[in-house]
Amino acid sequence: MTSKAVGEINSEGGPGDGSPSLPPDAHILLCDDDPELRRLLATYLRENGYRVTPIGDGRDVSRHITDAAVDLLILDLMLPGINGLEICRNLRAHSNVPILMLTAKGSETDRIVGLEMGADDYVAKPFSPPELLARVKALIRRARMTGQEPTPRD
């Protein structure tokens, strides 16, 4: 199996690949300002059994985290309104929701800063969709094994 680039997203690595399936209630909040990437990634994650709420503006993250149970936040760094690092820092003040940073800023320094600001994982664009899916599964599995509940609805 060859690794696919982000524009070639398909359902490789999904159900039936021998990996444990996740409950159908796993909810991912996907925040990226690129509408095409948002559409492709949301479709890919849905094809692999996740509920996905795609948003394009960082200012909407807090509202969505508060309004809905979210199992994972996939977060771009360079967003309109508020950048991903600030979102991450603000969320960590009151939430343990797993955060996977998915961004074009892939230098070692960028990755270290993202992780130190509270991200649980960091993936640079372009990325392999099957690898991203494996990381998503691992983050949600780890959060559920430690008894962490999705962010509650108010």
Side-chain angles (χ1 to χ4, degrees):
M1 172 168 73
T2 61
S3 190
K4 303 249 183 240
V6 69
E8 303 172 47
I9 292 177
N10 66 22
S11 60
E12 286 181 29
D17 67 355
S19 62
S21 63
L22 292 167
D25 63 342
H27 181 207
I28 298 171
L29 179 60
L30 169 61
C31 184
D32 196 293
D33 63 333
D34 180 335
E36 183 64 8
L37 175 64
R38 226 178 21 248
R39 183 187 66 75
L40 288 168
L41 190 51
T43 299
Y44 180 70
L45 292 167
R46 287 178 183 132
E47 287 173 352
N48 283 280
Y50 295 95
R51 288 185 304 124
V52 181
T53 302
I55 58 175
D57 191 319
R59 293 172 288 209
D60 295 332
V61 170
S62 182
R63 179 175 54 87
H64 282 280
I65 293 284
T66 301
D67 291 349
V70 173
D71 294 282
L72 175 69
L73 170 61
I74 297 177
L75 181 63
D76 189 9
L77 279 182
M78 297 177 285
L79 294 165
I82 181 173
N83 73 52
L85 290 175
E86 192 171 338
I87 292 168
C88 192
R89 182 178 54 239
N90 293 343
L91 275 177
R92 283 297 171 247
H94 62 82
S95 174
N96 288 325
V97 66
I99 300 171
L100 186 153
M101 290 205 170
L102 179 64
T103 180
K105 298 185 84 169
S107 74
E108 180 180 37
T109 301
D110 291 324
R111 292 189 311 269
I112 290 168
V113 170
L115 293 166
E116 287 181 345
M117 293 298 283
D120 298 286
D121 202 352
Y122 195 108
V123 176
K125 298 174 189 173
F127 60 93
S128 157
E131 179 184 353
L132 181 72
L133 182 63
R135 290 172 181 269
V136 164
K137 288 179 183 180
L139 286 168
I140 294 173
R141 181 180 62 244
R142 191 173 311 123
R144 289 185 174 182
M145 284 175 40
T146 61
Q148 177 183 325
E149 294 296 317
T151 54
R153 295 174 190 201
D154 286 340

